Amino acid sequence: MRVPLSWLREYVDLPATETGRDVQAKLISAGLEVETVEQLGAGLTGPLVVGKVLTIEELTEFKKPIRFCTVDVGQANGTGEPQEIICGARNFAAGDKVVVALPGAVLPGDFRIAERKTYGRVSRGMICSGDELGMGDDGTHGIIVLPPELEIGIDATKLLELYDEVLDIAVTPDRGYCLSMRGVARETATAYGLPLRDPALLDVPAPNSYGYPVRITDPIGCDRFTARTVVGLEPEARSPIWLRRRLQKAGMRPISLAVDVTNYVMLELGQPLHAYDRSRLEGPIGVRRAEAGEKITTLDGTVRVLDAADLVITDNRGPIGIAGVMGGAHTEIADPETDPETGVVTATAEVVIEAAHFDAISIARTARRHKLSSEASKRFERGVDPQAAAAAAQRCVDLLVLLAGGTAEAGVTEVSAPSAPRTITLPANHPDKVAGVDYGRETVVRRLQEVGCDVYGQDELVVTVPSWRPDLNEPNDLAEEVIRLEGYENLPSTLPKPPAGRGLTERQRVHRRVGRALAGAGYVEALNYPFIGEQALDHLGLDADDARRRLVKLVNPLSDEEPALRTTLLPGLLGALRRNDSRGSHDLALFETGLVFRPEGQPGVAVRLPVDRRPSDAEIAEVNAVLPAQPRHAAVVLAGAREQAGWWGKGHPSDWADAIEAGRAVAAEAGVELIISADQHVPWHPGRCAAFHVEVDGEKVLVGHAGELHPRVVKAFGLPARACAMEIDLDLLEKANEGPVKAPRISSFPVATQDVALVVAADVPAADVQAALSEGAGELLESVRLFDVYTGDQLGEGTKSLAYALKFRAEDRTLTVDEATAARDAAVALASERTGAVLRGA
């Protein structure tokens, strides 16, 4: 909601010295989110005056049409002589009043006006458009043409209200009343302790039987409908400058007088209105639910197919508007048209004003169903004051009579469902208990009265909630009003004292350790939304029966393209990789830890848990039983260089081995050793994919995969060539953990290193050889590392050489050469027995 400070001052007598920044601070203290204060007219200086175009000479010798104009600016130029100005706009004629920037003026953007020779003439100033003055869009995109009655030479900055401050307020869903000047003025008056001039306090005539007929068949969807009629509108009437400027400052575009008036009243009182051309209506106005398949052409020119749950406005022909969202094109206010032969202007002369109150949930669902968010729907779905409909209709009628020379018909239609004011019983000390501050009954009553409540009682208060506050429904809502008006900043800060012995669970500790380990290894965390679409699974190349294609679909997804919860972390990470690569970051290593969602069995319906007590263990178990499995995964993606090249030497491109090493690092933080073997698994390259297994209760369990992505996946996602990835199940790693991770003991005795080179068949995995070496070496082995792989003619076809570095160390002594050699020989013997390995050169 954009709130011009000059408009706000009409309802609250703010001190003359108060700036927009001061008002912003007060409103923020009262709980409103005032995001910015825009300074209108910043950088604009005069002279800027009203001028009258005397003559226009068309210069046709140039590529684009140029006009040489003489403009009377009175004595504003110091001479009284006509001002000569070059202009390329075509939307004005001789005799029109325009805005002229004289030499010496500075327009927004530091655009300085001076005499200059152009197109063979001397231009002494500029005829201005709204965009050039920073006024916003007025619908013409051309020169500002002023009313003919304005005096020549007067200051245009004051006339056009070019200097102002506008507060931009992000209105939260529970404060829909602040989507109006009336609501913001009420908050401002309360914050300053000043009286409010309520613009809704108008003399409204009583309803009678001879107003425009209205029939409501769905009183739940529409509980109030007011209709007023104004006739005799002057076809040439235009919105005055002050009205257009207020709409522009509030972020709306002026259209025509009748439409501008309805928009103005909506901004002023918060009640959306709609104006119908009475000559285009056939029969009474009705409010009902749409019939499935009915169609309507809305004001934006779109033909929309209606749903049976949509609330519509009708006449005898059918729907003429989607209630609370957008009107129909068939009853639209006609734009003024001039007959080229007679010069007679024709336009809508009779209008029916609608001011209604619709069900918030129904309007919200309709707007989302048709993807049609309007200024009206934004207000209705947040809650509109039902008591303001009659006042808004009266205000609209008054403005049309004043500005368009119309006549208000005596008929007043008001159809309303019976309703009673809402009351809440509140202990006088309840806000004190909620805030931990002793406010006292007097303060509680005063603050509730300031927000419009009627309060009765002593220790037990009976509070009648005002009609414009649908968000106040229980004692805690009233307590919040007291606390925010007294100032959140005045609440004492008290740190909670957790009971001894509590802290992070082992699952949480593993999660944090994994994140720190990957960050320490050079990976950058990327947090992605947990949503996915079928297209991403297609890009991964998953088979139709792949478990990862079983999705949990959302009833109300944020995006139709991603309507389900993710079953793997890879699509989100690969999307982040693609975006960063496209923006020039080519050496990337990203990681994410988070939940994936794997449905198991038949879907069920969860019970609705109580809110007035703690749910029982059985109720919680019943809810958990219908939820999908939600294991926590960790995943990484890599592309480009893993190590940069430089003066220190060659770099190292990321490859499948780096992805596998990331899996090892994650498992190490969980205190588990991975069993790594070759595998073929989508979306990895079939020849460069490794499977991760661990032992859980004596069984070998698959926990993840790593390697280079398949070229088809790389192409589908638009990734750099040879991109790699890893994904692993953290919950399974936690199950494989046999207890807290123990820090390694550091021996003070030296290490004994023995290198062995073993020749094996080319299809023997290096991991199998390493596992045999580790088991055969016994307790003295500290580590084993593969440091070289060789293939060549010297070894023969179908074989390879694997070179390992074995480190031996004892905790209580220095090992002798014989002990280290014996351990090495035992390791080689077991490797030979299991894998057929032969010592190279033996």
Side-chain angles (χ1 to χ4, degrees):
M1 177 68 186
R2 290 172 56 85
V3 179
L5 189 58
S6 60
W7 194 356
L8 186 63
R9 289 182 183 274
E10 282 198 5
Y11 313 119
V12 185
D13 289 326
L14 295 171
T17 57
E18 287 293 285
T19 66
R21 296 289 182 189
D22 299 328
V23 178
Q24 177 189 32
K26 284 283 189 180
L27 293 180
I28 288 175
S29 179
L32 294 184
E33 297 181 15
V34 185
E35 294 186 330
T36 60
V37 178
E38 183 180 347
Q39 303 290 332
L40 298 185
L44 171 66
T45 58
L48 198 71
V49 299
V50 174
K52 179 180 180 179
V53 180
L54 299 177
T55 64
I56 299 177
E57 179 185 352
E58 301 287 347
L59 305 182
T60 58
E61 63 267 29
F62 303 101
K63 291 183 179 179
K64 63 179 182 178
I66 296 297
R67 309 170 102 188
F68 180 68
C69 309
T70 59
V71 184
D72 182 6
V73 294
Q75 297 299 319
N77 58 3
T79 65
E81 296 295 325
Q83 204 77 3
E84 297 176 338
I85 300 174
I86 291 289
C87 184
R90 315 293 298 175
N91 70 312
F92 66 97
D96 285 343
K97 298 287 182 66
V98 294
V99 179
V100 179
L102 296 175
V106 180
L107 303 187
D110 198 28
F111 185 72
R112 299 180 180 275
I113 305 300
E115 291 188 8
R116 63 191 182 98
K117 187 173 183 180
T118 179
Y119 295 102
R121 306 292 179 95
V122 176
S123 180
R124 297 179 172 87
M126 186 171 81
I127 302 175
C128 300
S129 68
D131 289 336
E132 289 163 342
L133 297 179
M135 293 172 55
D137 182 17
D138 62 356
T140 65
H141 299 288
I143 295 302
I144 301 171
V145 179
L146 299 171
E149 65 271 12
L150 292 177
E151 182 183 348
I152 295 172
I154 63 173
D155 186 358
T157 59
K158 294 181 180 178
L159 174 70
L160 299 176
E161 301 176 12
L162 296 180
Y163 299 111
D164 204 348
E165 294 180 277
V166 178
L167 286 73
D168 194 351
I169 303 175
V171 179
T172 52
D174 62 330
R175 303 214 178 276
Y177 64 96
C178 284
L179 285 171
S180 67
M181 294 300 302
R182 181 194 185 201
V184 176
R186 185 180 300 279
E187 291 294 322
T188 305
T190 303
Y192 278 91
L194 296 172
L196 168 71
R197 286 188 291 274
D198 191 346
L201 295 180
L202 301 173
D203 291 330
V204 180
N208 49 53
S209 60
Y210 44 90
Y212 197 92
V214 174
R215 298 172 184 169
I216 298 177
T217 59
D218 190 337
I220 296 177
C222 177
D223 58 5
R224 185 179 295 269
F225 196 108
T226 299
R228 300 289 299 276
T229 304
V230 181
V231 299
L233 301 181
E234 297 176 2
E236 295 184 356
R238 300 291 184 271
S239 300
I241 293 174
W242 66 265
L243 178 57
R244 296 203 303 268
R245 288 298 293 135
R246 286 190 172 179
L247 291 176
Q248 287 175 324
K249 292 177 185 179
M252 302 189 75
R253 179 172 62 87
I255 299 174
S256 64
L257 178 57
V259 176
D260 292 348
V261 166
T262 59
N263 286 335
Y264 177 82
V265 175
M266 177 185 68
L267 292 172
E268 185 178 48
L269 301 182
Q271 168 67 54
L273 302 105
H274 190 71
Y276 300 95
D277 187 332
R278 189 165 77 165
S279 65
R280 299 184 178 187
L281 290 173
E282 293 185 10
I285 294 175
V287 183
R288 61 170 172 83
R289 297 289 172 176
E291 297 177 5
E294 275 189 304
K295 295 182 179 180
I296 181 174
T297 303
T298 47
L299 288 174
D300 58 359
T302 303
V303 178
R304 302 183 186 276
V305 179
L306 299 173
D307 187 270
D310 292 335
L311 198 65
V312 293
I313 311 296
T314 64
D315 65 3
N316 288 342
R317 295 167 298 180
I320 59 173
I322 303 177
V325 180
M326 185 173 285
H330 299 307
T331 56
E332 182 181 8
I333 300 296
D335 293 330
E337 293 183 359
T338 303
D339 190 307
E341 296 182 359
T342 64
V344 176
V345 179
T346 58
T348 297
E350 300 179 353
V351 298
V352 177
I353 304 299
E354 166 208 308
H357 184 263
F358 302 110
D359 175 60
I361 295 177
S362 176
I363 300 304
R365 289 176 176 170
T366 295
R368 284 158 179 73
R369 189 179 299 118
H370 294 282
K371 296 182 176 60
L372 186 61
S373 178
S374 64
E375 292 292 334
S377 68
K378 284 192 293 187
R379 286 165 173 80
F380 277 122
E381 65 190 27
R382 287 166 173 79
V384 168
D385 181 5
Q387 302 297 329
Q394 181 63 44
R395 176 68 164 148
C396 191
V397 168
D398 292 343
L399 288 172
L400 287 176
V401 170
L402 175 66
L403 302 176
T407 301
E409 288 193 344
V412 178
T413 302
E414 185 167 325
V415 181
S416 60
S419 62
R422 289 174 293 121
T423 59
I424 301 172
T425 302
L426 172 78
N429 63 348
H430 183 68
D432 302 5
K433 292 180 179 179
V434 173
V437 176
D438 187 12
Y439 292 126
R441 179 188 177 280
E442 224 175 86
T443 299
V444 171
V445 172
R446 175 171 56 85
R447 289 303 190 185
L448 292 178
Q449 289 174 339
E450 286 176 348
V451 299
C453 298
D454 292 329
V455 186
Y456 304 94
Q458 291 299 318
D459 294 338
E460 198 79 12
L461 303 179
V462 178
V463 181
T464 302
V465 177
S467 58
W468 60 83
R469 293 300 301 272
D471 57 306
L472 302 181
N473 296 300
E474 58 180 46
N476 283 337
D477 296 332
L478 299 177
E480 182 186 1
E481 293 299 297
V482 175
I483 295 167
R484 76 176 179 88
L485 294 178
E486 284 295 306
Y488 290 121
E489 68 275 10
N490 297 323
L491 294 177
S493 298
T494 305
L495 293 175
K497 296 179 180 179
R502 302 289 179 88
L504 298 177
T505 64
E506 183 59 27
R507 186 172 189 246
Q508 292 169 329
R509 290 193 185 96
V510 170
H511 181 207
R512 291 194 178 187
R513 288 202 304 268
V514 166
R516 284 196 295 266
L518 291 174
Y523 290 86
V524 177
E525 187 171 16
L527 301 177
N528 298 292
Y529 287 118
F531 309 121
I532 199 173
E534 293 281 356
Q535 185 180 22
L537 302 179
D538 294 339
H539 288 345
L540 289 177
L542 303 185
D543 295 332
D545 58 349
D546 195 300
R548 288 168 290 180
R549 279 196 178 272
R550 293 195 60 195
L551 300 174
V552 177
K553 296 196 174 179
L554 303 173
V555 175
N556 56 342
L558 293 179
S559 168
D560 292 339
E561 295 179 358
E562 295 179 328
L565 294 172
R566 65 189 177 191
T567 56
T568 169
L569 300 181
L570 290 182
L573 276 176
L574 295 177
L577 183 72
R578 179 187 65 249
R579 287 192 298 273
N580 282 275
D581 179 73
S582 66
R583 293 168 186 170
S585 298
H586 304 301
D587 303 323
L588 296 162
L590 307 177
F591 84 93
E592 181 178 11
T593 58
L595 300 179
V596 298
F597 305 85
R598 299 287 182 86
E600 298 175 348
Q602 295 297 322
V605 179
V607 297
R608 188 180 295 274
L609 295 177
V611 295
D612 58 342
R613 59 176 175 83
R614 184 189 183 280
S616 66
D617 293 341
E619 289 170 329
I620 295 174
E622 192 173 349
V623 171
N624 290 335
V626 299
L627 294 178
Q630 302 175 47
R632 186 176 295 278
H633 281 203
V636 306
V637 292
L638 305 101
R642 191 73 177 99
E643 295 178 5
Q644 292 287 344
W647 57 264
W648 51 85
K650 294 181 179 180
H652 166 61
S654 57
D655 58 17
W656 57 268
D658 295 304
I660 294 174
E661 188 58 34
R664 285 198 181 99
V666 170
E669 293 301 323
V672 177
E673 187 173 349
L674 293 178
I675 303 170
I676 302 174
S677 59
D679 197 7
Q680 294 187 16
H681 188 70
V682 176
W684 283 275
H685 191 295
R688 303 181 185 123
C689 174
F692 296 154
H693 292 84
V694 295
E695 286 192 4
V696 179
D697 299 329
E699 295 185 5
K700 192 175 178 182
V701 177
L702 178 69
V703 295
H705 288 85
E708 183 180 315
L709 292 172
H710 197 287
R712 284 197 297 268
V713 176
V714 170
K715 182 179 180 180
F717 278 97
L719 304 175
R722 310 297 292 271
C724 301
M726 181 277 297
E727 185 168 14
I728 195 167
D729 190 323
L730 295 179
D731 287 352
L732 289 177
L733 289 181
E734 185 184 354
K735 288 182 181 179
N737 184 9
E738 297 180 353
V741 179
K742 296 180 180 179
R745 294 185 62 181
I746 300 175
S747 174
S748 59
F749 295 95
V751 66
T753 302
Q754 296 275 353
D755 294 343
V756 294
L758 302 177
V759 178
V760 296
D763 59 350
V764 174
D768 292 351
V769 178
Q770 183 170 324
L773 291 173
S774 299
E775 185 178 344
E779 297 179 354
L780 294 178
L781 182 67
E782 184 176 84
S783 68
V784 56
R785 179 177 63 87
L786 176 67
F787 67 87
D788 183 57
V789 178
Y790 172 75
T791 57
D793 297 337
Q794 297 180 6
L795 297 177
E797 188 176 354
T799 60
K800 61 183 176 182
S801 171
L802 304 175
Y804 294 90
L806 285 68
K807 291 185 178 180
F808 300 96
R809 194 194 308 261
E811 296 180 0
D812 56 350
R813 68 187 187 282
T814 299
L815 293 178
T816 64
V817 174
D818 292 340
E819 287 177 312
T821 301
R824 182 204 64 186
D825 292 343
V828 171
L830 187 59
S832 177
E833 178 183 338
R834 290 189 176 176
T835 66
V838 178
L839 271 174
R840 186 175 173 184

